[in-house]
Amino acid sequence: MSAAESACPVSSYNEWDPLEEVIVGIVDGATVPPSHIALKATLPEDQHDFFRKHAGKPFPAEQIAAGKRDLEEFVHILEAEGVKVRRPEPVDQLKAFGAPGWTSTGLYAAMPRDLLLVVGNDIIECPMAWRSRYYETSSYRPLLKEYFHGGARWSAGPKPELKDELYDYDWTEAHDGGPFRSVISEFEPTFDAADFIRCGRDIFAQRSNVTNSFGIEWLRRHIGPEYRIHVFEFDDPHPMHIDATLVPLAPGKLLINPERVTKVPELFKGWDVFRAPKPIMPPEHTLYMTSKWINMNVIMLDEQRVVVERSDEPMIASFKKWGFKPILCNFRNFNSFGGSFHCATLDVRRRGTLQSYF
Ligand code: DAV
């Protein structure tokens, strides 16, 4: 690695090199997006009513306050572990925006993992398929400009039009266990960063209700022949984001969702495969946008230290058994907004170099 590379403010190749700088999202101003078919395909069944009734309105204030408390605890923990923490700027999510043919209001700046992808020294703004997330990078622009001035590459996918042609308005779930039917078409490239997970030269991806093949192909050519993108299909009728399904924790160590990964890809032959324990999230706890499997949505601070939800005893015990060092943090209130530690963060800089682990 050259001196210029090591000095770059953006530098991260995998999920486990020692974490130096991270962006942690915010829940301030979190707003329920307008109703749209693209949401329907991913929201939990029991949340459809809530989203219909509260479209375009802020999420309940007490939930936002509780989510904020969890985030503050998380930030303190990261700082105590020696990690530099950065935060996005709050923006008014109720301000309408649009493009020819549509208007929307926003969502939040809670999940940097969803919309920014760091591959080496490149920080990529993803062309997201949800209209409500079209301008979500606004909150991160001051940071992106700073990183660019500091020497990072700053890229963006082709700005999507998000016309009606992108969406399948007749979408219904394939109940018969048939092949995955996405709510989005191949009209133009779209992808969320969280449908990709990095493992040095190898990057794992899935097609989902926000990521199409066109988007994956765009990224493949953008990052170039130094990287290999592997596209997997899992047993998940509502795929959106890979980080509660298949999570490489360290070289040779893979965490899987045992319900969705019924066949571990051949590539991981010889790796330790850890099956995430069943989530213990109480049924009365509101989860607006995810399944309970966010118990496996953890962040590695290095090859051993892993941040785990404080009340998640089965996960804590499993990580200890597997030889990791769990660091506990309250995060259930934040979980309500659709993710856990991995979703809430973007590892901007980890101390390490580009390597092959296969
Ligand atoms: O339920 O698998 C988890 C990740 C959301 N950003 C799920 C989604």
Side-chain angles (χ1 to χ4, degrees):
M1 182 167 46
S2 72
E5 260 177 331
S6 61
C8 188
V10 173
S11 182
S12 177
Y13 296 97
N14 59 41
E15 302 291 329
W16 57 76
D17 277 340
L19 186 62
E20 294 184 340
E21 180 163 334
V22 71
I23 301 175
V24 174
I26 55 172
V27 280
D28 308 64
T31 297
V32 181
S35 289
H36 189 253
I37 186 76
L39 273 82
K40 198 180 149 204
T42 56
L43 295 177
E45 206 59 51
D46 62 352
Q47 292 302 326
H48 288 195
D49 259 358
F50 173 88
F51 275 77
R52 238 191 326 269
K53 285 196 193 115
H54 294 84
K57 295 186 197 141
F59 279 95
E62 65 281 5
Q63 266 168 346
I64 292 182
K68 240 175 128 143
R69 283 196 300 275
D70 282 0
L71 283 169
E72 294 321 312
E73 181 181 333
F74 183 37
V75 167
H76 284 138
I77 288 171
L78 290 167
E79 287 175 343
E81 296 291 327
V83 181
K84 181 174 177 184
V85 177
R86 312 299 302 272
R87 309 299 296 276
E89 295 286 321
V91 301
D92 183 0
Q93 303 291 352
L94 291 164
K95 227 180 203 167
F97 53 82
W102 60 269
T103 56
S104 183
T105 48
L107 173 62
Y108 51 39
M111 312 288 174
R113 183 75 58 188
D114 293 1
L115 81 157
L116 294 165
L117 183 64
V118 172
V119 180
N121 301 136
D122 194 2
I123 186 160
I124 305 164
E125 295 183 38
C126 298
M128 303 181 85
W130 284 15
R131 289 172 174 171
S132 52
R133 308 192 81 173
Y134 191 70
Y135 273 110
E136 204 169 295
T137 46
S138 296
S139 295
Y140 303 86
R141 296 294 276 208
L143 287 170
L144 292 170
K145 290 172 191 171
E146 180 197 312
Y147 292 142
F148 180 79
H149 288 312
R153 274 186 83 196
W154 175 16
S155 313
K159 188 168 57 204
E161 294 183 283
L162 307 183
K163 290 180 174 178
D164 284 348
E165 287 95 316
L166 178 64
Y167 308 101
D168 177 359
Y169 286 91
D170 299 325
W171 181 91
T172 49
E173 190 180 323
H175 276 293
D176 51 0
F180 164 59
R181 176 176 175 187
S182 180
V183 75
I184 56 164
S185 70
E186 295 289 335
F187 174 66
E188 62 187 341
T190 65
F191 59 93
D192 275 18
D195 274 320
F196 298 84
I197 200 151
R198 302 151 316 146
C199 208
R201 289 195 188 276
D202 295 277
I203 296 177
F204 308 116
Q206 66 172 2
R207 255 187 353 107
S208 74
N209 284 302
V210 289
T211 297
N212 55 21
S213 300
F214 204 168
I216 296 171
E217 184 55 28
W218 182 87
L219 185 71
R220 192 195 306 278
R221 290 193 209 170
H222 175 76
I223 61 178
E226 274 188 314
Y227 295 92
R228 298 175 285 255
I229 296 184
H230 308 262
V231 183
F232 296 137
E233 188 168 340
F234 304 106
D235 292 328
D236 181 358
H238 302 273
M240 178 173 170
H241 305 161
I242 199 168
D243 53 355
T245 300
L246 181 101
V247 179
L249 299 167
K253 293 176 186 182
L254 180 71
L255 178 63
I256 59 157
N257 178 321
E259 278 182 5
R260 295 180 187 163
V261 187
T262 40
K263 194 175 171 295
V264 178
E266 210 34 45
L267 189 69
F268 295 101
K269 217 172 153 198
W271 279 46
D272 293 331
V273 176
F274 305 125
R275 296 159 63 87
K278 265 202 164 16
I280 54 156
M281 187 74 80
E284 65 279 8
H285 190 85
T286 307
L287 289 179
Y288 289 117
M289 303 165 91
T290 55
S291 72
K292 295 183 180 187
W293 286 102
I294 37 162
N295 65 339
M296 53 179 291
N297 192 256
V298 292
I299 183 163
M300 304 300 297
L301 304 190
D302 55 30
E303 288 184 22
Q304 301 228 291
R305 289 175 299 161
V306 55
V307 185
V308 188
E309 214 289 321
R310 190 180 296 279
S311 53
D312 194 350
E313 279 157 23
M315 205 46 138
I316 298 164
S318 299
F319 272 116
K320 284 186 186 157
K321 189 176 78 193
W322 299 330
F324 294 91
K325 291 191 187 127
I327 298 169
L328 312 188
C329 177
N330 287 299
F331 223 48
R332 281 217 167 139
N333 297 304
F334 180 85
N335 290 162
S336 297
F337 291 92
S340 201
F341 305 107
H342 197 257
C343 296
T345 50
L346 180 72
D347 36 333
V348 170
R349 207 170 58 255
R350 290 182 181 269
R351 197 170 56 249
T353 53
L354 180 59
Q355 289 183 40
S356 187
Y357 301 94
F358 295 91

